[in-house]
Amino acid sequence: MPTSAIDAKDAAAIQAVKEGVAVCDRSHWGRIRVSDDERLRFLHNQSTNDFQSLKPGQGCDTVMVTSTARTIDLVTAYVLEDAVLLLVSPNRREFLMQWLDRYIFFADKVLLTDVTDETATLSLIGSGSDAIIEKLGAGAIIGQPYGNHVLVNGGVIVAVGSGLASPGYTLILPVSEKERIWSEILESGAVELSDRAWNLLRILQGRPTPDAELTDDYNPLEVGLWQTISFNKGCYIGQETIARLNTYKGVKQHLWGIRLSGPAEVGAAIAVGDEKVGKLTSYTETVDGYFGLGYIRTKAGGVGLKVQVGETEGEIVAVPFVSHEYP
């Protein structure tokens, strides 16, 4: 559904992301704990990134894909001492529990536990996040690579990465600690970012989401999630298709941002002249106008291309969360 024009509170939170720090409650996102001796091997075989090379305290983004490399979800994984914690999209929590369980066989030493209800997730977003991380006792994590994390008082995991292209941190904590930490973050000057404002930012920045950009119609290379893919890790579900697309530079469409001159409908055809070249997958209104995400056929062009989205004119722009350069 299109997002209506944002209110003053959302506008202030988005401004805080640009100039200070905002905090978003992402507790409705799913959290799946993968444990037992073969957990890294199992996740290595079920998704696009290289889990075998990760050590406790590290993490990564990875894509769960079908056997034909179609996208299911963009997942953030944190490698703990005795488990791997997966942060998954809200509408993929139950599906992924069932989907992963299908690939656990009798002799496999892998245990899946849905820990969503007993945990919470908060994301600090913006350049001012470091000061709050210091106050929370996790200053050691500042400047470390994406996905790296530390454990601080009360069993709070503090990880590098906001979940968006903006700088920041993600906290995963026992639900019993949520109210205390939330209050501490707000008292330290963070501005609350609503789910609606999060969705606006994810569209502006190009973070794909299931049922919109991540569906059975697209593969991770078309989305532009190169940072989630290891090309030398060996076999995994969907690997053959992804490797072939990369080797032969066969990506036929790309996800782009579209600056729009007026309102548009999700699902609308994107055209150049009389030729259909793509489809609008997400749409929002911002304080600066109208914006969408959509897939455009590679041969049609990229940044700067003038398009028609339904009855609305648009121009293709780059979005920071994804990339379309072959490695």
Side-chain angles (χ1 to χ4, degrees):
M1 293 291 291
T3 302
S4 59
I6 62 172
D7 59 24
K9 189 175 179 183
D10 283 343
I14 290 167
Q15 196 64 28
V17 168
K18 296 175 183 177
E19 298 177 356
V21 57
V23 59
C24 184
D25 185 353
R26 296 171 64 198
S27 298
H28 60 295
W29 288 57
R31 287 165 293 281
I32 298 172
R33 182 182 173 92
V34 186
S35 57
D36 217 336
D37 293 350
E38 296 177 337
R39 58 189 181 274
L40 288 176
R41 178 196 60 78
F42 174 73
L43 290 170
H44 192 84
N45 294 340
Q46 306 307 322
S47 69
T48 58
N49 220 328
D50 182 359
F51 278 84
Q52 299 277 43
S53 66
L54 295 177
K55 307 295 183 197
Q58 296 181 316
C60 68
D61 282 346
T62 193
V63 184
M64 301 294 180
V65 292
T66 68
S67 58
T68 55
R70 302 300 181 168
T71 54
I72 297 171
D73 196 14
L74 171 61
V75 172
T76 304
Y78 303 107
V79 179
L80 312 178
E81 289 289 345
D82 58 349
V84 180
L85 193 57
L86 304 179
L87 182 61
V88 308
S89 298
N91 55 350
R92 285 295 182 268
R93 166 189 172 187
E94 292 181 10
F95 178 90
L96 281 175
M97 278 292 292
Q98 296 170 6
W99 184 77
L100 290 169
D101 188 60
R102 286 211 317 261
Y103 293 97
I104 300 175
F105 301 105
F106 180 73
D108 290 342
K109 294 181 178 178
V110 180
L111 179 64
L112 302 176
T113 311
D114 187 336
V115 295
T116 306
D117 292 340
E118 62 205 60
T119 55
T121 298
L122 309 176
S123 279
L124 288 166
I125 314 164
S127 58
S129 302
D130 288 359
I132 295 180
I133 291 302
E134 288 270 17
K135 288 184 180 179
L136 293 174
I141 202 69
I142 295 172
Q144 291 198 27
Y146 178 87
N148 278 24
H149 53 275
V150 293
L151 200 63
V152 296
N153 297 340
V156 179
I157 297 168
V158 180
V160 177
S162 67
L164 295 169
S166 301
Y169 300 87
T170 296
L171 283 61
I172 300 180
L173 51 146
V175 72
S176 59
E177 293 289 305
K178 179 183 176 182
E179 190 174 336
R180 177 182 70 83
I181 297 290
W182 179 259
S183 297
E184 197 171 326
I185 289 170
L186 291 180
E187 287 166 8
S188 298
V191 178
E192 183 177 348
L193 186 83
S194 69
D195 291 342
R196 186 168 75 161
W198 166 278
N199 189 56
L200 186 152
L201 283 173
R202 76 123 197 123
I203 294 172
L204 285 175
Q205 297 185 3
R207 179 183 169 120
T209 195
D211 299 330
E213 292 77 36
L214 303 176
T215 74
D216 208 36
D217 294 324
Y218 311 111
N219 64 64
L221 302 189
E222 292 171 333
V223 188
L225 295 172
W226 294 90
Q227 77 277 16
T228 70
I229 300 166
S230 169
F231 289 102
N232 53 18
K233 62 177 268 187
C235 292
Y236 61 93
I237 291 177
Q239 180 261 345
E240 187 177 325
T241 300
I242 290 173
R244 189 167 62 246
L245 286 169
N246 179 51
T247 299
Y248 297 106
K249 294 184 166 45
V251 180
K252 294 180 179 178
Q253 57 191 340
H254 292 299
L255 180 66
W256 292 106
I258 309 169
R259 192 177 292 119
L260 298 160
S261 64
E265 290 288 335
V266 169
I270 300 171
V272 175
D274 294 331
E275 183 183 6
K276 180 183 175 183
V277 298
K279 185 175 82 169
L280 191 72
T281 55
S282 289
Y283 163 76
T284 187
E285 294 181 31
T286 78
V287 291
D288 299 317
Y290 309 92
F291 197 87
L293 293 174
Y295 284 93
I296 306 289
R297 283 216 306 268
T298 307
K299 290 181 179 178
V303 173
L305 181 70
K306 300 292 195 292
V307 296
Q308 195 76 18
V309 183
E311 301 299 314
T312 302
E313 294 178 353
E315 180 180 349
I316 303 305
V317 297
V319 281
F321 199 89
V322 300
S323 166
H324 298 308
E325 297 294 324
Y326 286 89

